[in-house]
Amino acid sequence: MSSLTLRNLKKRFGRVDVIRGVTLDVADGEFVVFVGPSGCGKSTLLRMISGLEDVTDGELRIGNRVVNEVQPAKRGVAMVFQSYALYPHLNVRDNMGFGLKVRKVPAAERQQRVSEAAALLKLDALLDRFPRELSGGQRQRVAIGRAIVGHPDVFLFDEPLSNLDAELRVHMRSEIAALHKRLGNTMIYVTHDQVEAMTLADKIVVLRDGRIEQVGSPRELYEQPDNIFVAQFIGSPKMNILPAGSAAGFGAQPAGAVSVGVRPEHLSLVAPEKGQIGGKVVISEYTGASSLLHIRLDSGETCLVVVDGDAPEADMKVGLLAGTDNLHHFDTDGMALRKSRLLM
Amino acid sequence: MTARDERAPWLTLKMREAMEAWLFISPTLAGFLIFFVGPLCAVVWYSLTEWNLLSQQSVFVGLDNYDDALFHNLDFWQVVRNSIVFAIGLVPLNMALALALALALSRRFAGVVFFRTVFFAPVVTSAVAWAIVWKFLLQGEAGFVNQMLAGIGIHGPNWLREPDWAMVAVIVTRVIKMVGLNMILYIAALQAIPRDYEAAARLEGASNWQIFRMITWPLLGPTTLVIMVITTIGSFKVFDHIYLMTGGGPENGTLVLAFYIYQQGFQFFDVGYASALAMIMFVIVMGLTVVQLALRRRDT
Ligand SMILES: Nc1ncnc2c1ncn2[C@@H]1O[C@H](COP(=O)(O)OP(=O)(O)OP(=O)(O)O)[C@@H](O)[C@H]1O
Ligand SMILES: [Mg+2]
């Protein structure tokens, strides 16, 4: 088991800065999720931790060891690839035992460790199959099994579930959560999927353009985003950002507030005359449990609202209410003006 | 839609699809029949006759030509031996070199295209130009190759004038000419292997050699088989290179099957005998191919 420390980590490919100074502490046994838009450097950061990409600048520690110059195999990390990367010419048993074999672990012990991992992941019946004979979910489990067999300190997952269908994803997500609980290892997990991030993470790291935008628990990121980017990235559908002027009806604003954010699920619909601000329904999308309304405000902006149960039809005039607790205020740079500061 | 339209068509869908398929392959099929099956039948027939181009007379002699080649003509076995030596020298050397070059040139680095071009260029160079240059380089004492060898204290042989060295020389110069083709095939195969395999193996502690032995080499299997088959066939069919470099000499030291057939047919005009030889060569090459494919099937 190991903690992880990143100090001002940088990565340059040729003349392109991909990781521009990342500082992060990961506690022993923590489940950390990297999220961010495509191309922001999530995979690169993960590969730097694994040693598959070298570090251009900064310091990387695993446990108490600086590992910048340590070979990938000697870092005590295992990685699960998005493509699974199962060797097609080896059966499940040999795929899982590959790392032990190259490290010259005796056959008997190898056998035993493969069996243990197979039992843990319910792969016993599949040991003699080849990857091409497995379903997507089974391949994913083999890939995880191959990581487990090496008894790593740190697990790295690069979008491990993105090739699975929705149902299987939900299932594998809970299996990974259970695995983390059971093994207690430090895990770093890259994903595009909000729900995966929110449900699995002890700590979410939001990346943009090779920099960290915010680090925090899922609840912290949802309730207290540091800036507009994080506010809109976390939560679905994304937070409405309105100019301070248009949102004046919602209540007092701190000095310096340029825009106001409010999540679609925190707005409620009332009769036009009772609303803090008014608008007209443009589109009403029925999704079963709730409906998503696109509302054109009287001030001209479009605003999303999630309502439970019956939703008004298109073209109806409506009023909107938002509790002050649910408002987020941002300055000209898009940085959050915190409520605590407002009260003081 | 009227009832009339719903009636089963005159030809079923399946039959129409079959007809289309035949239509599409017919040009190739015609070419195959005219330019391969036709001549093959002719050669089979010629091989059963005593036909001298000069006398314009053709006499049916049954299997006499085969009997001659296999049991009475000592030249024939010497020639077969030469062909085998040529193949055994050329195929492993060509494949090993092709693989080594491909491993070095399958990654991206500055200048890689230049190097690939350099090694592929001889493949598309005229065989005549290639032979002229190498004959010049391989001259006795004064030749460039021997001068270089002298530079490091080795007294080189007179390459093209001594039977055994001539064989070495034609093998090596042929390998250098043709290796680029197999290199390209190997590069294509290497680039088709997902990079994640190597990354995963490296993370698990595999050395470069282990990655090659346990992952790359097995995954190259199908390509290696194809390369082995086409290179072996090519080596048995080698003609122009021998014709231009040594003319089969010295002392028949490089007289290989294809060149021997040419001699018998077009220099001595013994078409019947040459045809029988051609049939024997056809059987040898077919046999080798079948054996290689079978070995491969047993492996996997
Ligand atoms: N080997 C490389 N050479 C040059 N640029 C690279 C290399 N690998 C990645 N990049 C660049 O680095 C940036 C970050 O890539 P990375 O794969 O880390 O993104 P990501 O956040 O994982 O994206 P995604 O969510 O699409 O997987 C991209 O702009 C990419 O083009
Ligand atoms: Mg990625």
Side-chain angles (χ1 to χ4, degrees):
Chain A
M1 312 272 139
S2 281
S3 60
L4 217 80
T5 314
L6 283 57
R7 285 283 166 265
N8 201 17
L9 225 49
K10 290 181 184 158
K11 176 74 193 177
R12 195 172 301 126
F13 286 113
R15 300 220 316 276
V16 189
D17 289 313
V18 174
I19 301 295
R20 307 152 177 251
V22 165
T23 296
L24 177 70
D25 289 298
V26 178
D28 186 14
E30 209 170 12
F31 200 117
V32 174
V33 173
F34 291 174
V35 293
S38 189
C40 70
K42 304 180 295 289
S43 300
T44 305
L45 194 54
L46 205 66
R47 290 169 66 88
M48 285 165 78
I49 295 170
S50 73
L52 292 171
E53 299 287 357
D54 53 15
V55 171
T56 308
D57 197 12
E59 187 179 89
L60 173 64
R61 286 171 178 270
I62 299 179
N64 296 321
R65 229 163 27 128
V66 177
V67 294
N68 285 33
E69 301 296 329
V70 175
Q71 281 174 20
K74 305 232 163 95
R75 295 186 180 194
V77 302
M79 186 150 163
V80 177
F81 294 81
Q82 180 178 358
S83 63
Y84 314 137
L86 299 178
Y87 313 124
H89 59 295
L90 300 179
N91 62 21
V92 170
R93 186 191 314 278
D94 293 341
N95 260 288
M96 287 172 59
F98 183 86
L100 302 179
K101 189 167 179 192
V102 299
R103 289 176 179 172
K104 308 251 171 359
V105 173
E109 187 187 340
R110 206 157 74 209
Q111 200 59 45
Q112 198 218 328
R113 279 164 73 174
V114 169
S115 304
E116 275 173 22
L120 186 66
L121 294 161
K122 302 186 195 70
L123 289 168
D124 320 70
L126 306 175
L127 284 175
D128 293 313
R129 298 241 196 125
F130 285 88
R132 62 175 175 275
E133 301 166 332
L134 301 176
S135 71
Q138 290 168 337
R139 282 180 209 180
Q140 188 55 67
R141 274 212 290 275
V142 175
I144 293 172
R146 189 171 66 178
I148 289 176
V149 165
H151 295 169
D153 298 324
V154 179
F155 283 94
L156 306 174
F157 296 90
D158 193 353
E159 305 200 29
L161 307 184
S162 58
N163 288 338
L164 303 180
D165 63 50
E167 197 180 337
L168 204 50
R169 244 153 111 149
V170 174
H171 176 71
M172 286 302 295
R173 194 170 81 206
S174 59
E175 284 202 13
I176 289 178
L179 192 73
H180 179 241
K181 198 160 276 172
R182 173 151 185 176
L183 299 175
N185 289 55
T186 310
M187 296 190 175
I188 299 186
Y189 189 104
V190 169
T191 183
H192 264 113
D193 187 319
Q194 290 253 350
V195 187
E196 260 171 51
M198 298 297 268
T199 53
L200 287 171
D202 294 321
K203 188 151 98 185
I204 295 181
V205 178
V206 182
L207 291 165
R208 176 165 67 152
D209 275 348
R211 286 206 185 86
I212 293 183
E213 289 288 321
Q214 190 173 0
V215 179
S217 68
R219 182 174 291 275
E220 278 165 1
L221 295 195
Y222 181 77
E223 293 179 353
Q224 295 168 28
D226 275 350
N227 53 46
I228 291 184
F229 177 77
V230 175
Q232 291 206 298
F233 196 81
I234 301 288
S236 170
K238 68 182 186 183
M239 184 188 282
N240 298 300
I241 302 289
L242 302 170
S246 308
F250 287 140
Q253 294 171 357
V258 171
S259 43
V260 174
V262 56
R263 297 195 182 276
E265 58 271 35
H266 292 151
L267 285 169
S268 39
L269 287 188
V270 291
E273 65 281 5
K274 291 192 185 145
Q276 292 171 313
I277 56 179
K280 199 171 83 173
V281 176
V282 182
I283 306 171
S284 171
E285 295 173 323
Y286 175 72
T287 62
S290 60
S291 295
L292 179 63
L293 302 179
H294 298 241
I295 292 174
R296 168 71 42 84
L297 300 181
D298 295 339
S299 52
E301 289 83 16
T302 302
C303 181
L304 300 179
V305 180
V306 173
V307 293
D308 296 339
D310 287 333
E313 308 272 310
D315 284 340
M316 268 182 68
K317 289 199 66 88
V318 293
L320 295 176
L321 283 181
T324 31
D325 283 355
N326 294 326
L327 295 179
H328 303 262
H329 301 280
F330 302 98
D331 65 15
T332 30
D333 299 325
M335 303 306 288
L337 297 160
R338 279 283 149 70
K339 284 168 205 128
S340 50
R341 257 177 271 158
L342 178 62
L343 294 178
M344 277 191 297
Chain B
M1 208 176 257
T2 65
R4 221 178 120 99
D5 289 330
E6 281 163 24
R7 217 176 44 192
W10 189 60
L11 287 173
T12 63
L13 183 62
K14 205 168 168 183
M15 283 163 75
R16 272 180 292 158
E17 279 180 355
M19 263 178 59
E20 271 173 35
W22 280 104
L23 207 64
F24 275 114
I25 63 167
S26 56
T28 313
L29 190 65
F32 178 76
L33 290 173
I34 296 168
F35 298 109
F36 180 75
V37 176
L40 188 67
C41 293
V43 170
V44 170
W45 170 248
Y46 296 156
S47 76
L48 302 174
T49 63
E50 171 91 58
W51 177 22
N52 195 306
L53 270 187
L54 296 182
S55 62
Q56 293 289 335
Q57 279 186 343
S58 169
V59 185
F60 184 79
V61 293
L63 294 175
D64 273 7
N65 285 323
Y66 292 90
D67 185 56
D68 248 14
L70 296 174
F71 304 111
H72 302 290
N73 195 331
L74 295 181
D75 273 0
F76 174 76
W77 288 108
Q78 156 89 31
V79 165
V80 169
R81 198 195 68 103
N82 284 347
S83 275
I84 292 173
V85 169
F86 184 81
I88 289 177
L90 181 129
V91 176
L93 186 62
N94 184 328
M95 289 179 69
L97 197 57
L99 182 57
L101 288 171
L103 287 170
L105 300 179
S106 62
R107 336 223 130 196
R108 265 180 220 180
F109 57 87
V112 68
V113 175
F114 170 77
F115 284 110
R116 282 183 203 166
T117 311
V118 165
F119 289 109
F120 189 73
V123 176
V124 291
T125 302
S126 119
V128 177
W130 188 253
I132 290 172
V133 169
W134 277 103
K135 275 174 97 160
F136 179 71
L137 296 176
L138 288 168
Q139 278 169 353
E141 296 291 325
F144 178 77
V145 170
N146 279 345
Q147 298 239 325
M148 294 303 281
L149 287 175
I152 54 169
I154 296 174
H155 181 74
N158 190 344
W159 294 99
L160 298 174
R161 296 268 180 278
E162 294 170 36
D164 290 347
W165 287 117
M167 182 58 101
V168 172
V170 292
I171 288 172
V172 171
T173 51
R174 179 71 175 176
V175 166
I176 299 172
K177 181 156 182 353
M178 297 308 288
V179 72
L181 195 58
N182 290 345
M183 173 191 81
I184 292 291
L185 293 175
Y186 265 135
I187 286 177
L190 283 170
Q191 288 179 338
I193 298 177
R195 298 299 300 266
D196 278 354
Y197 295 165
E198 185 191 327
R202 196 169 297 290
L203 265 182
E204 294 196 276
S207 62
N208 285 335
W209 170 246
Q210 284 172 321
I211 291 172
F212 176 75
R213 258 303 288 126
M214 299 168 77
I215 296 178
T216 315
W217 178 248
L219 293 181
L220 287 177
T223 306
T224 300
L225 177 68
V226 168
I227 288 180
M228 190 162 79
V229 169
I230 60 175
T231 309
T232 307
I233 292 174
S235 78
F236 271 90
K237 284 171 40 181
V238 67
F239 167 74
D240 53 358
H241 190 63
I242 300 291
Y243 177 80
L244 294 159
M245 289 286 290
T246 60
E251 298 162 38
N252 292 350
T254 59
L255 188 61
V256 293
L257 209 43
F259 188 72
Y260 182 59
I261 294 171
Y262 160 79
Q263 273 191 336
Q264 297 302 318
F266 295 96
Q267 291 188 323
F268 309 146
F269 302 111
D270 196 345
V271 175
Y273 183 57
S275 298
L277 292 174
M279 286 311 298
I280 293 171
M281 178 159 136
F282 179 70
V283 169
I284 292 175
V285 171
M286 270 307 264
L288 280 171
T289 306
V290 169
V291 167
Q292 285 174 336
L293 290 172
L295 280 178
R296 181 68 204 179
R297 205 156 295 143
R298 207 192 52 190
D299 279 4
T300 47

